[in-house]
Amino acid sequence: MKLSIKQDERLLPGEQDRPLLIAGPCGVESKEQIMETARALAEYPVDILRGGVWKPRTRPGAFAGVGGKGVAWLKRAGEEAGLPVATEVATPSHVEMCLSHEVDVLWIGARTVANPFSTQAIADALRGVDDVAVMVKNPVSPDIGLWLGAFERLNKAGVKQLAAIHRGFSIGGGGGFRNQPVWRLPIELKRRVPKIPLICDPSHICGSRKFIRRISQEALDLMFDGLMIETHISPDDALSDSSQQLTPNAYGRLVAALEPKREVVDNAEFQNELSVLREKIDELDDKLVTLLGERMRVVEEIGERKERTKVAVFQPSRWEEILKNRVEQGKSENLDPNFITKLYQLVHEEAVRHQER
Ligand code: PEP
Ligand code: MN
């Protein structure tokens, strides 16, 4: 599937030598708050002012945003600071209010993307509108189909300026994250839709200020095109997501500390070294895939014998033994036990499938 994203035109404003930067509060709380935030942010590199006016809250009673009147405040603050503005939409009436106030960029939130009825309704409301960009957050669960589906619906409705936001997934998994990053999903999305710009939202991944710099840098190392970072003039007083918002000043320091990465550089020595190492990787992968094929053929032979002797395909004690030994062997090669476990779980699942054929 190919989405027809506008050719030769940057989706969103930004400078080539640094990532696209989107900053602003989780929620627009008052005219003064958004004005002050915008003014303070304008001192630093920033391309788009964000601010949610309709906040999807997990529990009723939490601050649900100031509603429609916030759209005008956000737009006004953006105009004063010379910045395009972005806000979240979840219903066709949100879209209409944003269009009537000339909001430049819309985003669809993680909870909304999880619901095809909602994404379709938003796409329908945007039919024929070609001057707004739409950013689609990943759905709350790691389902690439739902994420892709939202792009397809928008694309079919004629929306050409699209971007994807990785904001992590509600899958637990520790690491101290509010929403676990699963980098292979946005990377797979990019493989399937090469022109889609990838933006990382470290604020909603981290849920606290602690790891925002680390996750932002990780995204840039993975060639993400931009970052969306929640910033508030007084984070401790914020009405939503207070522990993850940065002051504009801390945002400025963060942005200054980030190191953008390039995909290719004009440095012959580096390119040579890289291609020699890549050749090695190709050779090793070649061996790895051949070995996996060989392993599966042996597995099939075992399968045939088990079938003949009426022995069960899955043998828990053998599986335990394989896992234990490979994890031990992995340790001597400096390989993380978690990695070996996951790898062997996949290999074992595939082996069982081969024996059941
Ligand atoms: C937000 O960006 O403020 C937001 C609610 O994000 P998400 O949809 O990722 O939870
Ligand atoms: Mn938020």
Side-chain angles (χ1 to χ4, degrees), residues 12 37 43 47 109 165 199 210-211 272 340-341 347:
L12 302 161
T37 310
E43 304 280 315
D47 300 296
I165 303 181
I199 293 164
K210 226 174 20 193
F211 311 124
N272 274 341
I340 296 289
T341 305
V347 169

Side-chain angles (χ1 to χ4, degrees), residues 26-27 50 55 178 204 230 240-241 244-245:
C26 175
R50 69 152 275 158
K55 303 299 304 170
R178 176 180 178 190
H204 289 91
E230 284 189 343
S240 57
D241 289 353
Q244 72 193 32
Q245 304 207 56

Side-chain angles (χ1 to χ4, degrees), residues 25-27 50 52 55-56 88 107-111 137-138 167 178-179 201 204 228 230 241:
C26 175
R50 69 152 275 158
K55 303 299 304 170
E88 171 170 352
W107 82 80
I108 307 182
R111 294 160 194 79
K137 290 206 172 196
N138 65 251
R167 50 76 81 194
R178 176 180 178 190
N179 294 293
D201 171 350
H204 289 91
M228 171 145 103
E230 284 189 343
D241 289 353

Side-chain angles (χ1 to χ4, degrees), residues 117-283:
F117 289 123
S118 302
T119 44
Q120 188 59 54
I122 292 171
D124 291 340
L126 283 165
R127 200 169 294 280
V129 178
D130 62 2
D131 55 352
V132 227
V134 181
M135 309 190 291
V136 181
K137 290 206 172 196
N138 65 251
V140 279
S141 60
D143 181 336
I144 197 156
L146 275 175
W147 205 2
L148 263 173
F151 287 111
E152 286 164 336
R153 290 173 201 280
L154 290 162
N155 197 240
K156 274 195 182 157
V159 180
K160 298 236 169 32
Q161 299 193 74
L162 294 163
I165 303 181
H166 183 31
R167 50 76 81 194
F169 298 94
S170 304
I171 47 173
F177 295 112
R178 176 180 178 190
N179 294 293
Q180 195 73 23
V182 183
W183 300 106
R184 69 182 157 77
L185 258 94
I187 290 170
E188 174 60 14
L189 185 78
K190 183 87 179 177
R191 192 184 68 78
R192 298 211 207 166
V193 193
K195 283 187 185 297
I196 200 89
L198 290 183
I199 293 164
C200 177
D201 171 350
S203 309
H204 289 91
I205 288 179
C206 297
S208 89
R209 289 178 268 281
K210 226 174 20 193
F211 311 124
I212 292 193
R213 177 161 165 196
R214 193 184 103 201
I215 292 295
S216 302
Q217 188 61 54
E218 219 166 307
L220 298 189
D221 294 350
L222 290 168
M223 298 304 304
F224 270 61
D225 304 275
L227 297 169
M228 171 145 103
I229 298 172
E230 284 189 343
T231 31
H232 192 284
I233 29 159
S234 174
D236 291 339
D237 302 317
L239 299 180
S240 57
D241 289 353
S242 83
S243 49
Q244 72 193 32
Q245 304 207 56
L246 300 180
T247 60
N249 190 275
Y251 164 82
R253 276 183 274 126
L254 166 81
V255 165
L258 292 174
E259 290 176 27
K261 298 280 160 78
R262 285 163 295 170
E263 195 167 354
V264 280
V265 285
D266 199 14
N267 174 336
E269 195 187 328
F270 167 80
Q271 289 297 354
N272 274 341
E273 285 170 359
L274 199 65
S275 54
V276 169
L277 290 171
R278 282 183 172 159
E279 257 173 51
K280 268 195 198 161
I281 292 280
D282 288 346
E283 269 173 41

Side-chain angles (χ1 to χ4, degrees), residues 286-297 343 347:
D286 194 58
K287 286 187 191 150
L288 212 56
V289 174
T290 310
L291 278 174
L292 280 172
E294 246 176 67
R295 193 187 189 283
M296 282 312 160
R297 282 189 290 279
L343 180 69
V347 169

